[in-house]
Amino acid sequence: MIFKSIFNRFRRVHSGIRLVLMVIWLIAVVQTKPEHLHYLIFWMLLQLPHMSVEPKKWGRQMLMAEPFLLFVGLSYLFVYRAPATYYHLTLTEGIWAFIALLLRGNLAVMGITAFVNAISMEGLADGMRWLKVPETFVLIMMQTYRYIGLMVQKVHQMTTAYCLRSGGKTGVHLDAWGSFPGQLLLLSLKQAEATHEAMMLRGYNPAASYIGISKIQISDLTDAIIWLLLFAAVPFVL
Amino acid sequence: MSVIKCEDLSFAYGTQRVLEGVSFHIEKGEKIGIIGLNGSGKSTLLRLMIGLLKAESGTMHVLGMPVQRENLKALHRRVGYVFQNVDEQLFMPTVYDDIAFGLKGTASADTVKESVESILKRFHIMHLRDKAPFQLSGGEKRAVAIATVMVMAPEIVLMDEPTEGLDARMRRKMTAFVKASPETFVISSHDSAFIRDICHRVIVLKTGHLIRIDTPEVLFNDFDFLEANELI
């Protein structure tokens, strides 16, 4: 019950403030050195109230980021070979850097995914506008987000239709890799145009849909200060 | 009192003529059907009424306003449009959100909630409230699509093939709904039985030309005309 009330309280904090705290958290996480990896546990706990708790969704997003992290991290293993001891364990600097990269990278991806799920795209846009991010940029981000959703739907429809007529073959054949993405682009743009029409016909005003959806209050500032103090205290306490 | 006045309207998609010299007027509260073969210009005419397309020549006045860029916002608040493809109409994560979409920014949160729940009850779709539109059956999507438009209390409702993909039961519900509604309806459809049941007058289009306006009783009993124009 206590945790739920903490979660609910943080979720009501102004979206711009939550965005600022998220950026601070992200910067701290990605810059964590191998000798300070234990900070990540506590920083993760601190960030939990800002996030939606959906482990399956986190897992999917993290899996998508894994190949990139592994690709970059593997180079460390060959480049940094001097020994380094952290947490009473002696390994090469490359291995420690690799471990740190995986932990930081996965935590960052999980944090961003969970944060966006909790705050919603409209909340994120509202926060960005509060931070004076140019409206054009925010609008592009919102429309791109909607378009990606449509495109994913279209991919599913087209691959289903393709597979039903591909004579039992698995996946999209190499021969079709030219025309298939081309058609996907055309059809998804057509769908996007129709969806945009539907939205405009119901009075959609892009800016109005996200600006000012949350109002800043004194409690938002106090909550943010408490969070920052706890966040900053971790390196000193541990 | 005419709510829609169309005079000598013409439209082309590039070099392809779709509508030529179309003129008619529609009175308040009338249910008007538009029939014709595929490619005769039915959907195009609806889209011209709502301002999604711009006529090449001629005039279109809806609710006393010329259908022009400056008036589109005001027009869209008073005229609803139900797409032929309902997947293009529904775009929010839940049915509730989709129906509420058109009201946000125009009413308080409580009013929005009240209006949405009222419409959900009216259409007997309360059980779909928290469902994702993509999970619904065709008939359910159609009902939700109409609800998203009706919640905005339009004075005129334009519908493009509203009975497409509906079974007999849903079709009966659609008929009852349109008959009982006081709003002006303009319905483009291949479903002649549906048109006959609900419309006061029927506009017949052929290759972009308006060839006849008549009551359903007279029109659908004129088999020579229907046969000559391949409508049966």
Side-chain angles (χ1 to χ4, degrees):
Chain A
M1 266 308 274
I2 291 174
F3 288 120
K4 204 172 179 182
S5 63
I6 293 172
F7 277 33
N8 288 338
R9 190 188 166 94
F10 269 88
R11 298 246 174 104
R12 281 196 293 268
V13 169
H14 187 269
S15 47
I17 291 177
R18 286 170 75 186
L19 187 57
V20 169
L21 297 179
M22 181 67 197
V23 169
I24 293 170
W25 182 87
L26 209 56
I27 292 170
V29 162
V30 298
Q31 288 188 341
T32 306
K33 293 185 178 142
E35 60 265 35
H36 300 139
L37 290 177
H38 52 289
Y39 295 173
L40 295 178
I41 300 166
F42 295 94
W43 282 339
M44 189 181 83
L45 290 172
L46 259 185
Q47 194 58 7
L48 277 178
H50 289 284
M51 309 193 300
S52 70
V53 187
E54 289 175 82
K56 270 189 188 168
K57 256 189 181 163
W58 298 348
R60 275 202 297 268
Q61 299 291 337
M62 280 154 69
L63 272 174
M64 281 167 62
E66 248 12 88
F68 175 75
L69 291 172
L70 285 169
F71 178 72
V72 171
L74 280 171
S75 60
Y76 291 159
L77 299 174
F78 301 107
V79 174
Y80 302 107
R81 296 202 188 191
T85 304
Y86 303 117
Y87 307 102
H88 308 293
L89 191 62
T90 304
L91 299 168
T92 66
E93 278 182 0
I95 293 174
W96 278 116
F98 179 64
I99 292 169
L101 179 71
L102 284 182
L103 286 174
R104 292 189 319 235
N106 282 305
L107 189 59
V109 169
M110 184 189 79
I112 292 168
T113 308
F115 175 76
V116 172
N117 285 339
I119 201 173
S120 84
M121 286 305 287
E122 281 76 20
L124 185 64
D126 184 32
M128 288 170 77
R129 286 297 293 137
W130 185 74
L131 292 168
K132 307 294 181 206
V133 173
E135 190 174 341
T136 311
F137 180 82
V138 175
L139 213 58
I140 290 170
M141 182 197 77
M142 293 286 284
Q143 303 293 52
T144 306
Y145 169 73
R146 280 194 188 278
Y147 174 66
I148 288 171
L150 282 174
M151 199 161 77
V152 167
Q153 264 181 38
K154 216 66 202 166
V155 167
H156 178 72
Q157 284 170 6
M158 281 178 64
T159 48
T160 304
Y162 180 93
C163 292
L164 285 172
R165 285 189 281 160
S166 65
K169 290 184 200 137
T170 319
V172 178
H173 196 259
L174 207 60
D175 287 347
W177 272 101
S179 56
F180 194 90
Q183 282 302 304
L184 170 63
L185 189 67
L186 287 171
L187 291 172
S188 61
L189 284 174
K190 189 168 179 290
Q191 179 87 5
E193 193 188 348
T195 302
H196 185 250
E197 277 177 358
M199 292 166 75
M200 297 306 283
L201 286 174
R202 280 194 266 159
Y204 176 62
N205 178 353
S209 71
Y210 55 75
I211 287 177
I213 58 173
S214 55
K215 302 277 179 232
I216 199 162
Q217 290 169 359
I218 302 289
S219 58
D220 296 340
L221 296 171
T222 53
D223 290 344
I225 289 168
I226 293 168
W227 188 92
L228 277 168
L229 287 171
L230 287 170
F231 184 78
V234 166
F236 296 102
V237 169
L238 298 179
Chain B
M1 187 186 86
S2 294
V3 291
I4 299 178
K5 256 193 238 175
C6 174
E7 273 161 34
D8 205 28
L9 200 76
S10 296
F11 180 81
Y13 286 110
T15 54
Q16 190 192 352
R17 292 246 133 248
V18 179
L19 288 173
E20 189 84 59
V22 173
S23 299
F24 59 89
H25 66 273
I26 297 172
E27 304 297 319
K28 188 177 177 181
E30 271 197 302
K31 317 283 192 248
I32 300 293
I34 305 176
I35 65 170
L37 299 178
N38 293 341
S40 57
K42 303 186 299 296
S43 297
T44 303
L45 186 56
L46 288 183
R47 291 170 80 85
L48 283 163
M49 283 182 201
I50 196 72
L52 288 175
L53 296 172
K54 195 177 165 200
E56 230 177 45
S57 63
T59 59
M60 176 78 80
H61 285 77
V62 176
L63 295 168
M65 291 183 278
V67 179
Q68 284 168 1
R69 197 182 165 141
E70 307 84 64
N71 299 327
L72 288 184
K73 272 196 179 147
L75 197 64
H76 295 165
R77 275 197 288 272
R78 299 168 71 187
V79 181
Y81 182 71
V82 182
F83 283 58
Q84 179 175 1
N85 180 357
V86 288
D87 285 324
E88 289 167 2
Q89 183 117 25
L90 307 173
F91 46 78
M92 294 299 282
T94 65
V95 166
Y96 181 94
D97 290 336
D98 227 308
I99 296 173
F101 182 85
L103 295 176
K104 282 198 173 150
T106 64
S108 66
D110 289 333
T111 310
V112 169
K113 187 167 183 266
E114 210 179 289
S115 303
V116 173
E117 288 184 351
S118 164
I119 274 288
L120 286 169
K121 282 185 194 135
R122 181 180 165 191
F123 283 72
H124 309 288
I125 52 172
M126 190 57 107
H127 60 291
L128 302 178
R129 187 186 192 278
D130 296 319
K131 281 199 165 181
F134 71 85
Q135 291 176 322
L136 306 179
S137 70
E140 287 171 339
K141 277 185 197 172
R142 183 77 57 186
V144 171
I146 296 171
T148 62
V149 166
M150 296 309 293
V151 78
M152 294 166 70
E155 292 167 57
I156 300 173
V157 182
L158 310 177
M159 295 176 119
D160 201 347
E161 301 291 349
T163 59
E164 188 178 280
L166 295 186
D167 58 28
R169 186 177 68 102
M170 288 299 299
R171 199 188 147 286
R172 273 197 302 275
K173 281 187 172 183
M174 179 78 72
T175 304
F177 156 71
V178 176
K179 268 184 167 170
S181 303
E183 294 89 354
T184 307
F185 277 77
V186 183
I187 301 166
S188 154
S189 181
H190 288 296
D191 187 344
S192 49
F194 176 69
I195 296 288
R196 191 202 293 246
D197 280 342
I198 57 161
C199 291
H200 297 104
R201 288 187 295 149
V202 182
I203 292 170
V204 184
L205 294 178
K206 185 177 181 179
T207 57
H209 296 266
L210 194 160
I211 58 172
R212 189 165 173 178
I213 305 181
D214 218 327
T215 62
E217 295 75 28
V218 171
L219 179 67
F220 290 114
N221 284 315
D222 188 348
F223 296 109
D224 291 336
F225 173 83
L226 295 174
E227 215 167 24
N229 293 287
E230 297 177 283
L231 293 169
I232 49 168

